[in-house]
Amino acid sequence: MTDNKSAEAAKAERHKARQQRIKEGVDAKIDRAQEEKGILLVLTGNGKGKSTSGFGTVVRAVGHGKKAAVVQFIKGNWDCGERTLLEGAGVEFHVMATGFTWETQDREKDTVAALQAWEAAEKLLKDDSIDLVMLDELTYMISYHYLEVERVLEALDNRPPMQHVIVTGRACHRAIIELADTVSEVLPIKHAFDNGIKAQPGFDY
């Protein structure tokens, strides 16, 4: 019995020592992270949840009394639960109204719509009264060559110093990834849609 108690005590002491080392490492990182600036966050990858994560950050900002705005590329005019909620909380929305490009199949029309949405984004990215701008599905506009990446980079790089920006969408251009402060990649492990389950309001959109 005494041996068991000694072994448990030694195990507890080792655990305490490990946790103390972890705490010291975390505390050191906190001490080093003293700069305050606007963060460029990229949420990319082929998995589900990029826009949802971005909207969660918008909700967080609004909850702290921050002013936020959203530009939605390729979403179209179909119902969006996040937009319904956030517009009621004073969040400004600009929506590229042509819908998904594989629905319109009209490159000229989509290019014009993308440019109109991007012009709205550029205004927001110059407005220092906006604390957070979400550019939802922006990556597709660059992948499809509707927008020039150089124009996008210039606007992102020259925005107000304390303005946060979220860029979502698959296959984010490497130049935007290099400019970003934080990049997360969402990986697809399983997706209900691949098994014939339809997108459902209140969960998928």
Side-chain angles (χ1 to χ4, degrees), residues 158-190:
N158 292 303
R159 72 189 192 276
M162 294 305 297
Q163 187 182 78
H164 304 302
V165 176
I166 304 169
V167 172
T168 73
R170 298 185 181 197
C172 185
H173 194 285
R174 62 183 179 277
I176 296 177
I177 289 177
E178 289 171 3
L179 182 64
D181 299 288
T182 302
V183 179
S184 293
E185 182 178 10
V186 182
L187 299 178
I189 306 303
K190 293 176 70 175

Side-chain angles (χ1 to χ4, degrees), residues 136-150:
D136 188 32
E137 311 287 15
L138 172 65
T139 61
Y140 291 97
M141 302 300 99
I142 298 169
S143 297
Y144 296 155
H145 304 290
Y146 296 160
L147 297 176
E148 295 179 357
V149 67
E150 292 80 11

Side-chain angles (χ1 to χ4, degrees), residues 22-204:
I22 292 171
K23 182 182 183 305
E24 290 171 356
V26 172
D27 288 345
K29 289 182 179 180
I30 292 173
D31 288 340
R32 290 195 299 270
Q34 295 302 314
E35 180 183 3
E36 291 188 20
K37 57 167 285 188
I39 301 297
L40 174 56
L41 167 63
V42 171
L43 301 169
T44 191
N46 294 332
K48 173 181 170 57
K50 299 178 290 295
S51 295
T52 303
S53 176
F55 278 120
T57 304
V58 174
V59 170
R60 177 183 292 161
V62 172
H64 281 283
K66 305 293 185 180
K67 188 175 180 181
V70 177
V71 181
Q72 288 186 290
F73 298 89
I74 78 173
K75 289 296 190 189
N77 287 318
W78 50 294
D79 287 341
C80 174
E82 297 95 336
R83 186 166 75 240
T84 301
L85 176 68
L86 290 169
E87 282 184 328
V91 176
E92 179 181 348
F93 270 74
H94 298 271
V95 182
M96 181 177 158
T98 58
F100 289 98
T101 53
W102 51 85
E103 289 181 348
T104 63
Q105 299 180 5
D106 186 335
R107 181 174 181 80
E108 182 177 354
K109 182 179 179 182
D110 285 339
T111 301
V112 170
L115 287 170
Q116 289 176 342
W118 179 246
E119 286 170 2
E122 285 181 320
K123 291 179 181 178
L124 295 171
L125 293 169
K126 293 176 181 177
D127 187 346
D128 61 8
S129 74
I130 306 293
D131 300 296
L132 171 64
V133 179
M134 179 173 169
L135 304 173
D136 188 32
E137 311 287 15
L138 172 65
T139 61
Y140 291 97
M141 302 300 99
I142 298 169
S143 297
Y144 296 155
H145 304 290
Y146 296 160
L147 297 176
E148 295 179 357
V149 67
E150 292 80 11
R151 181 173 175 179
V152 173
L153 289 169
E154 181 179 3
L156 292 174
D157 202 26
N158 292 303
R159 72 189 192 276
M162 294 305 297
Q163 187 182 78
H164 304 302
V165 176
I166 304 169
V167 172
T168 73
R170 298 185 181 197
C172 185
H173 194 285
R174 62 183 179 277
I176 296 177
I177 289 177
E178 289 171 3
L179 182 64
D181 299 288
T182 302
V183 179
S184 293
E185 182 178 10
V186 182
L187 299 178
I189 306 303
K190 293 176 70 175
H191 199 302
F193 182 73
D194 295 331
N195 290 320
I197 301 173
K198 68 185 297 184
Q200 300 170 69
F203 185 81
D204 293 294

